[in-house]
Amino acid sequence: MRQSPLVVVANRLPIDDSVAPDGAFEWRRSPGGLVSALHPLLRHTPATWVGWAGGTGPAPDLPDVDGVRMHTVPLSAEDFRDHYEGFANATLWPLYHDAVEQPEYHRRWWEAYQRVNQRFAEAAARVAEPGGLVWVQDYHLQLVPGLLRELRPDLRIGFFLHVPFPPPELFMQLPRRAELLHGMLGADLVGFQRAQAAHNFAQLAAKVLGLPATDRRIGVDGRVVRIGAFPVAIDTAEMSALAARPEVAERARRLRQDLGRPEQVILSVDRMDYTKGIEQRLKAYRELLANGDIKVRDTVLVQVAVPSRDRVAQYQILRDRVEHQVGRINGEFGRVGEPAIHYLTQPFDRAELVALYRVADVMAVTPLRDGMNLVAKEYVAARVDGTGALLLSEFAGAASELEQAYLVNPHDLDGLKQGLLAALRAGPEDVAARMRSMREHLAHNDIHAWAASYLSALEESGTLVGRRPATR
Ligand code: ADP
Ligand code: F6P
């Protein structure tokens, strides 16, 4: 087994098995923010990515992707159901997103979570060089840092959570809360998207495990674990360069023509997820049409909603409801050849997605809760001509950085409508000034700066301290 100095461990590999329209089997870039963030970062580094390839059964052998070695971890049908769909996406995901849907607790799911985390930890232990660095990602793998430290105490271990970390009153619901916290504390550095998440984590380490904890350091087992906020980013320069390509600009012009040359295009791009606020947004749009504040001929909405976790009941219910809503709005307000909503559920290649960003006068990103939301950052990076208004939820991590966006509370329907109208009606100077400041922020705070700040904090971590008795 060849070993690497840097190992990334994430539930998903950057490529996913899928079936092409002609029925052939093909490998495709995996959807989602984690891959969008890490893929450009690792390109051409001597790293190994440990992850799952998207199917069930034996692990396929994958070729290197852009020079990065792919090390596949297999999931059985039962692991997929109880670990991925169950504990990860029907317990932790809703709980960590403000419990906007009811989290479910099942002991069988917890067993699967432990089993799969053990498998990932063993795989990482095999492929990491002596004294190497292992960077564990996200909520699917919270036990891996602790398990890996037992297997390979020589390693430096980082953990980064891409999703929100909830306040104690929600986290305390978890039947196995102490084990989860302890698992994360196996890392030398635990990174979060926002400072509030690090604060929540420190409070829980003190309350549940009785550890000495501040918002920057936690003492455990004679070690110091550093914690902090490292808001994840995108490859800004690459996104801007793609958007500036003549063929992308031309594609954007064609798209506008195909949309019937409306005065304004509103775009939303989400995974089909109940955290993304799709239903609330469609409701706001419908009310604006019903009141005559906007007209279909002048303003069109393009909603891209790529299906996600589509065997989980809450996701199936959401998709049915969204499609019912889209059908109803188009039936009520569309005309022949002029739908009120252009609804697309297909995955797009990067160039097509960026052409869509270029055509959007208003980008509506209104999740009920989101760790970061990279779509918002991608939109800003793609607006190379300095135009375009970003409507952004206060509850997306991105709102802490993109303060010049039109910020809205997506739970407040009237506020959402006013925000959308404000973005649609804003004067060009206001729009340009806001966009300029957001673009400047992203030019300096890109994915390379993110990795550098996380990895240098990880280098500095690992001093000894005393331990306080548990008070639980
Ligand atoms: P999440 O991590 O919850 O999926 P993010 O907004 O952070 O949300 O990241 C979503 C990523 O997936 C972005 O990089 C976006 O470009 C990509 N994406 C979303 N929808 C599509 C689609 N239909 N086709 C291709 N990529 C998509
Ligand atoms: O951080 C959010 C996240 O769960 C990522 O881990 C992943 O990139 C994305 O959402 C997509 O989700 P899934 O891997 O379940 O399709």
Side-chain angles (χ1 to χ4, degrees):
M1 173 77 54
R2 276 190 305 163
Q3 295 188 317
S4 300
L6 172 63
V7 176
V8 163
V9 190
N11 180 58
R12 260 191 205 282
L13 290 170
I15 51 174
D16 207 4
D17 61 349
S18 60
V19 179
D22 63 0
F25 176 77
E26 64 176 9
W27 290 103
R28 198 182 64 195
R29 180 188 159 114
S30 313
L34 187 150
V35 167
S36 298
L38 292 178
H39 190 219
L41 197 64
L42 291 183
R43 215 174 284 155
H44 311 304
T45 58
T48 297
W49 187 314
V50 174
W52 165 62
T56 55
D61 264 336
L62 297 187
D64 293 1
V65 175
D66 293 336
V68 179
R69 209 171 299 150
M70 299 289 117
H71 185 89
T72 319
V73 177
L75 289 193
S76 67
E78 199 183 359
D79 297 332
F80 178 74
R81 186 191 64 208
D82 294 345
H83 164 77
Y84 172 73
E85 297 185 324
F87 198 80
N89 286 313
T91 301
L92 294 178
W93 180 268
L95 184 73
Y96 285 14
H97 289 85
D98 292 352
V100 290
E101 287 286 342
Q102 181 63 39
E104 285 181 50
Y105 303 107
H106 298 293
R107 282 164 290 185
R108 201 182 62 237
W109 290 0
W110 169 248
E111 282 159 24
Y113 190 76
Q114 288 174 290
R115 177 172 78 234
V116 171
N117 272 248
Q118 181 71 38
R119 196 175 307 148
F120 272 83
E122 284 168 8
R126 277 196 298 277
V127 299
E129 234 172 58
L133 197 156
V134 178
W135 196 359
V136 184
Q137 313 288 323
D138 233 358
Y139 61 101
H140 317 82
L141 301 176
Q142 279 170 232
L143 302 179
V144 169
L147 295 168
L148 186 57
R149 183 166 294 282
E150 277 172 28
L151 294 167
R152 291 284 307 272
D154 61 300
L155 298 173
R156 196 161 280 264
I157 303 171
F159 178 79
F160 184 77
L161 188 71
H162 291 253
V163 301
F165 190 77
E169 50 284 17
L170 280 178
F171 190 84
M172 291 301 280
Q173 286 185 17
L174 275 168
R176 310 308 288 263
R177 58 205 183 192
E179 284 96 323
L180 279 169
L181 293 171
H182 210 265
M184 291 165 82
L185 287 166
D188 295 295
L189 172 65
V190 180
F192 299 94
Q193 301 278 23
R194 296 178 106 160
Q196 181 62 46
H199 176 70
N200 294 345
F201 184 68
Q203 279 193 309
L204 280 159
K207 187 180 165 80
V208 177
L209 302 178
L211 298 172
T214 69
D215 289 4
R216 299 170 70 90
R217 286 182 176 76
I218 299 174
V220 60
D221 299 336
R223 297 183 297 120
V224 169
V225 177
R226 290 191 54 165
I227 64 174
F230 301 87
V232 76
I234 58 165
D235 192 335
T236 312
E238 188 195 49
M239 178 57 72
S240 298
L242 181 56
R245 280 207 209 149
E247 66 271 23
V248 172
E250 177 52 30
R251 178 71 190 134
R253 265 191 296 279
R254 286 263 309 282
L255 279 168
R256 192 159 205 112
Q257 212 173 322
D258 293 347
L259 289 168
R261 296 183 205 275
E263 278 168 30
Q264 288 189 299
V265 176
I266 308 169
L267 173 68
S268 286
V269 176
D270 308 281
R271 267 185 314 102
M272 179 72 83
D273 196 298
Y274 50 81
T275 60
K276 301 289 181 184
I278 302 172
E279 289 179 274
Q280 289 77 356
R281 192 188 306 139
L282 291 180
K283 196 164 180 203
Y285 182 63
R286 187 195 169 277
E287 286 195 11
L288 290 174
L289 285 170
N291 296 343
D293 289 315
I294 53 178
K295 299 212 166 21
V296 165
R297 182 149 293 168
D298 307 331
T299 309
V300 301
L301 171 63
V302 179
Q303 172 68 64
V304 178
V306 69
S308 172
R309 308 169 192 168
D310 51 10
R311 296 191 335 174
V312 177
Q314 289 157 334
Y315 286 78
Q316 287 173 350
I317 293 167
L318 173 76
R319 183 168 182 177
D320 287 348
R321 282 167 40 166
V322 165
E323 295 190 345
H324 177 83
Q325 244 181 320
V326 169
R328 192 175 153 200
I329 295 171
N330 276 339
E332 275 183 286
F333 299 100
R335 297 156 184 239
V336 173
E338 277 181 358
I341 303 173
H342 294 257
Y343 173 69
L344 303 159
T345 56
Q346 304 130 47
F348 293 114
D349 67 32
R350 300 302 283 166
E352 184 71 6
L353 201 58
V354 173
L356 276 168
Y357 291 148
R358 284 210 57 168
V359 99
D361 304 288
V362 173
M363 181 84 206
V365 181
T366 58
L368 304 178
R369 175 63 73 189
D370 211 328
M372 172 53 62
N373 199 291
L374 293 182
V375 164
K377 291 188 171 181
E378 289 170 358
Y379 174 69
V380 171
R383 301 303 300 186
V384 282
D385 64 0
T387 63
L390 175 64
L391 181 75
L392 182 60
S393 163
E394 293 167 9
F395 299 104
S400 305
E401 295 173 81
L402 304 178
E403 291 165 344
Q404 298 297 318
Y406 295 85
L407 292 175
V408 285
N409 170 2
H411 301 274
D412 169 11
L413 197 60
D414 286 334
L416 193 51
K417 284 161 59 186
Q418 279 157 19
L420 194 50
L421 280 182
L424 285 166
R425 291 175 181 168
E429 283 96 33
D430 183 37
V431 166
R434 288 168 183 257
M435 185 51 79
R436 193 177 320 115
S437 125
M438 294 191 289
R439 286 179 61 78
E440 266 167 31
H441 176 85
L442 294 188
H444 297 114
N445 296 278
D446 69 356
I447 192 67
H448 304 288
W450 175 73
S453 78
Y454 184 92
L455 294 173
S456 66
L458 184 53
E459 283 299 315
E460 289 161 19
S461 55
T463 348
L464 290 177
V465 286
R467 189 176 175 178
R468 224 172 60 184
T471 52
R472 175 152 72 117

